[in-house]
Amino acid sequence: MKITIASGKGGTGKTTVSSNLTSYLASLGKKVVLADLDVEEPNSALFLNAELVNSKVSNKMIPKWDATDCTLCGKCEEVCNFNAILHLPEEIRVFPELCHSCYACSELCPTNSLPMTPSPIGIINEYRNELFSMVEGRLDLGQEMSIPLIAQTIEYVDEKFPDYMKIYDAPPGTSCPVIESSRYSDFVILITEATPFGLNDLTLAVETMKVLNQKVGVIINRYGIGDDGVERYCQDENIPIITKIKNDKEVAKLYSNGELIYNKIEHFKDSLDDIIAFIGGLK
Amino acid sequence: MKIVFTTKGKTWESPIDARFGRAEMFLIYDEESDTLEAIDNSATESMEHGVGGVSSKRMINAGANVVITGNGAGEKALKILKTTGIAFFTGAGEMSVKEAYEAYKANKLQKQF
């Protein structure tokens, strides 16, 4: 089973829940692996006291101009939807950071003057602690395109841990990186807080998942603050509320110290039990 | 000399558009023939990425020697235009085309490259 933990709003507790949930499941004897897909700022490893066991450079394919046979016909620029190729009077200029690796320019070039070549965009790190494994994608500084790295991180986890349960810690928001982190999952858990901000971004996330035909459930974090807008919305939309995690300064303190929470705070562990029971019921 | 202004209009009285990549219009002044020609660049407004390249190409195709603008060329435009010999002058963002031309002639604009 693959579960994505996402949210519209940032800072609602995706990493807190996914790292604690994975650790707790592993402590119960479950074969589970955590994938940190927030490749622009991966931080799950900070909480897991884990050792780096493997690293792999992640590449994306980009066209590289070979002037030898090029007639400067400009077909490449014409077919590029992303302005990544510029047909100048005396040369073809490629902007790797804009390239979506669609191969159109390379395939349609009459003289094969734009062969696709690998170009590094980041790194995939695999960690291991005494309980379980964790894999993260980490985008290089200055890279604009996170999708290929997210896809490759998911692929790495699939290959290395074929019969494991997978927890994906998604980036915040509702754009392409979130979609890439959610589209292959069996279920998406959206974490929110019961504030007007939380509700606004939750609504956007739910709409996004509807487009993907993804089933969703909601966790309300920092329960006790805000209003009942999120609960009413979930009721109206028929979205299950999986658990409500109590607003508790002690949780925040442990998080700030980079510590796991479930083994120190009972009500947090109870919430994880709610999540596990819910996931168990999904089959 | 062909001097290109980034503008929001087609006349000497039009205001300069401070942006280069997403400039509404390029107004080309040919000093030899003393004529003005406008190129519409408004399509860049709705492009998400890569406008620096698109607009730079328009400068090359127009045969520009000098570009007068407000904020200056961005990273991608810089990469392309630095090697072409086109000179960039900035700081005309609040001026009309006429004022910008006079300021350029009086050496009052900053040269970006």
Side-chain angles (χ1 to χ4, degrees):
Chain A
M1 171 162 308
K2 298 170 184 175
I3 308 266
T4 295
I5 303 202
S7 73
K9 191 178 171 302
T12 54
K14 290 177 295 298
T15 300
T16 308
V17 168
S18 56
S19 56
N20 277 276
L21 180 64
T22 312
S23 188
Y24 185 37
L25 279 165
S27 75
L28 297 172
K30 179 101 184 159
K31 284 171 89 175
V32 61
V33 55
L34 173 65
D36 190 345
L37 302 180
D38 192 359
V39 300
E40 289 181 49
E41 42 191 359
N43 58 3
S44 296
L46 295 176
F47 297 92
L48 300 173
N49 202 13
E51 202 181 312
L52 185 67
V53 292
N54 191 29
S55 284
K56 184 183 162 189
V57 173
S58 159
N59 291 304
K60 79 169 183 180
M61 299 302 281
I62 56 159
K64 191 164 183 245
W65 184 50
D66 175 359
T68 321
D69 298 322
C70 178
T71 60
L72 293 166
C73 70
K75 184 87 187 163
C76 48
E77 184 193 80
E78 236 172 79
V79 299
C80 182
N81 272 334
F82 307 100
N83 296 322
I85 297 223
L86 209 56
H87 166 216
L88 295 173
E90 283 164 18
E91 64 172 320
I92 301 297
R93 195 72 77 92
V94 178
F95 293 95
E97 64 272 36
L98 298 179
C99 175
H100 283 56
S101 306
C102 78
Y103 284 66
C105 61
S106 186
E107 294 288 325
L108 296 170
C109 173
T111 53
N112 293 319
S113 299
L114 285 164
M116 298 297 278
T117 49
S119 160
I121 53 166
I123 191 160
I124 297 171
N125 290 322
E126 180 187 338
Y127 298 89
R128 170 92 208 162
N129 65 15
E130 66 278 9
L131 282 173
F132 64 97
S133 293
M134 186 220 122
V135 178
E136 67 169 21
R138 189 171 283 269
L139 200 65
D140 285 344
L141 215 61
Q143 289 292 333
E144 296 175 24
M145 212 75 68
S146 60
I147 306 302
L149 179 53
I150 294 172
Q152 287 170 33
T153 306
I154 291 175
E155 217 175 85
Y156 181 98
V157 172
D158 279 346
E159 275 171 24
K160 226 41 201 289
F161 304 94
D163 53 347
Y164 279 58
M165 176 177 179
K166 290 149 188 108
I167 309 271
Y168 299 149
D169 183 5
T174 50
S175 59
C176 299
V178 178
I179 289 170
E180 190 66 20
S181 305
S182 309
R183 61 200 293 190
Y184 306 111
S185 297
D186 300 299
F187 195 82
V188 176
I189 295 177
L190 297 172
I191 306 192
T192 186
E193 51 185 37
T195 62
F197 306 108
L199 175 58
N200 180 68
D201 295 356
L202 173 68
T203 310
L204 296 173
V206 168
E207 295 303 318
T208 307
M209 294 308 152
K210 270 187 195 162
V211 176
L212 294 177
N213 277 323
Q214 273 297 9
K215 293 183 291 282
V216 299
V218 163
I219 294 175
I220 303 178
N221 195 7
R222 296 189 198 102
Y223 188 68
I225 62 165
D227 53 32
D228 65 349
V230 166
E231 282 179 84
R232 276 192 284 131
Y233 170 75
C234 290
Q235 216 161 29
D236 291 346
E237 290 284 318
N238 239 334
I239 298 168
I241 294 175
I242 302 166
T243 190
K244 300 165 185 172
I245 300 171
K246 280 193 206 113
N247 187 38
D248 182 349
K249 219 172 183 173
E250 289 308 310
V251 171
K253 266 189 195 163
L254 288 167
Y255 172 85
S256 306
N257 288 326
E259 287 179 54
L260 289 174
I261 296 153
Y262 71 93
N263 42 10
K264 299 203 176 68
I265 294 184
E266 203 55 34
H267 72 78
F268 189 87
K269 190 176 179 176
D270 291 343
S271 279
L272 292 188
D273 280 322
D274 290 342
I275 300 170
I276 292 169
F278 181 87
I279 293 171
L282 287 175
K283 290 163 193 165
Chain B
M1 286 278 266
K2 275 193 176 179
I3 300 169
V4 178
F5 301 89
T6 60
T7 68
K8 292 179 175 173
K10 297 180 179 179
T11 68
W12 285 105
E13 281 68 44
S14 303
I16 294 284
D17 191 332
R19 305 165 303 171
F20 170 66
R22 286 192 165 78
E24 228 175 271
M25 199 165 277
F26 295 121
L27 197 59
I28 306 165
Y29 176 54
D30 188 338
E31 283 185 315
E32 274 152 46
S33 60
D34 191 24
T35 51
L36 277 181
E37 184 200 343
I39 304 176
D40 181 34
N41 194 47
S42 57
T44 51
E45 190 64 49
S46 57
M47 290 182 193
E48 280 182 34
H49 301 283
V51 292
V54 173
S55 294
S56 297
K57 186 173 168 177
R58 293 210 157 111
M59 295 302 99
I60 294 168
N61 290 346
N65 305 106
V66 169
V67 176
I68 293 174
T69 184
N71 305 332
E75 195 190 335
K76 293 185 189 83
L78 256 175
K79 273 189 202 161
I80 299 164
L81 293 173
K82 263 198 154 173
T83 56
T84 58
I86 299 175
F88 250 68
F89 288 88
T90 62
E94 306 284 310
M95 303 177 187
S96 69
V97 177
K98 191 161 183 273
E99 288 163 348
Y101 182 61
E102 283 162 4
Y104 161 70
K105 281 292 179 194
N107 262 328
K108 283 182 181 160
L109 298 177
Q110 294 88 47
K111 190 169 189 210
Q112 191 184 5
F113 55 86

